[in-house]
Amino acid sequence: METETLTLGAIDTALGRLLVGATEQGVAYLSFKDTPGARARAVTRVGLPVADDPDRTAKAMEGLAAYFGGGSVTFDVPIDWRLTSDLQRTVLTALYERVPYGKVVTYGELDRISGADVGAQAIGQVMGGNPIPVIVPCHRVVAANGLGGYSGGSGVEVKRWLLTLEGSEPATLDWDPAVGP
């Protein structure tokens, strides 16, 4: 039996250098920072030895480059859900498969769409624990009365920036897709 491994790759975006981790099954991890500490956390969190296999992260990197370049609206990459609980997997799979680019849903709506039946607050906690932000678009889940929170990058301004890129949030006059929040 062959040992499973983790391949790490990084890409420069308007939000900074993102770190992507992929196993043989698919993308398992995305961090808003690519630092030695972030790489160590990815390896510890995924719990697999690192392998040099750039082909494994290539499709995710191409998708991210297209997304941040305004050219791609979907990510067609396999996902490895190993870092998620059953509840997270249920909710995040529904989000990944059923909430397209340019659309938003409330925490309560995602609860209904996913069939989780755990309430909006629990859905918010699932979003906060999403190990693959951007690709699994937790930024598209908003509160019934506003944006809600966001634990990715530097917080809610990153969420606002991503929603503006996708056209779900109106751009301010000084908004520039080449410059992050």
Side-chain angles (χ1 to χ4, degrees), residues 76-95:
D76 183 24
V77 295
I79 302 293
D80 181 341
W81 298 108
R82 76 178 59 229
L83 298 180
T84 61
S85 68
D86 289 342
L87 172 62
Q88 288 173 311
R89 188 171 307 116
T90 296
V91 173
L92 293 172
T93 298
L95 174 64

Side-chain angles (χ1 to χ4, degrees), residues 135-160:
I135 293 174
V136 177
C138 52
H139 60 277
R140 295 181 190 153
V141 185
V142 298
N145 62 352
L147 284 180
Y150 194 68
S151 58
S154 56
V156 75
E157 288 308 313
V158 169
K159 182 176 191 170
R160 183 182 316 278

Side-chain angles (χ1 to χ4, degrees), residues 1 20 51 72 106 109 132 136 149 160:
M1 183 167 118
V20 177
S72 176
T106 65
E109 288 170 335
I132 316 167
V136 177
R160 183 182 316 278

Side-chain angles (χ1 to χ4, degrees), residues 68-131:
F68 283 101
S72 176
V73 297
T74 61
F75 287 96
D76 183 24
V77 295
I79 302 293
D80 181 341
W81 298 108
R82 76 178 59 229
L83 298 180
T84 61
S85 68
D86 289 342
L87 172 62
Q88 288 173 311
R89 188 171 307 116
T90 296
V91 173
L92 293 172
T93 298
L95 174 64
Y96 183 67
E97 293 175 351
R98 299 183 60 194
V99 181
Y101 183 97
K103 301 292 182 195
V104 296
V105 295
T106 65
Y107 296 105
E109 288 170 335
L110 183 56
D111 187 32
R112 285 188 295 282
I113 289 168
S114 69
D117 196 28
V118 294
Q121 186 174 6
I123 297 298
Q125 291 170 344
V126 168
M127 295 304 100
N130 177 9

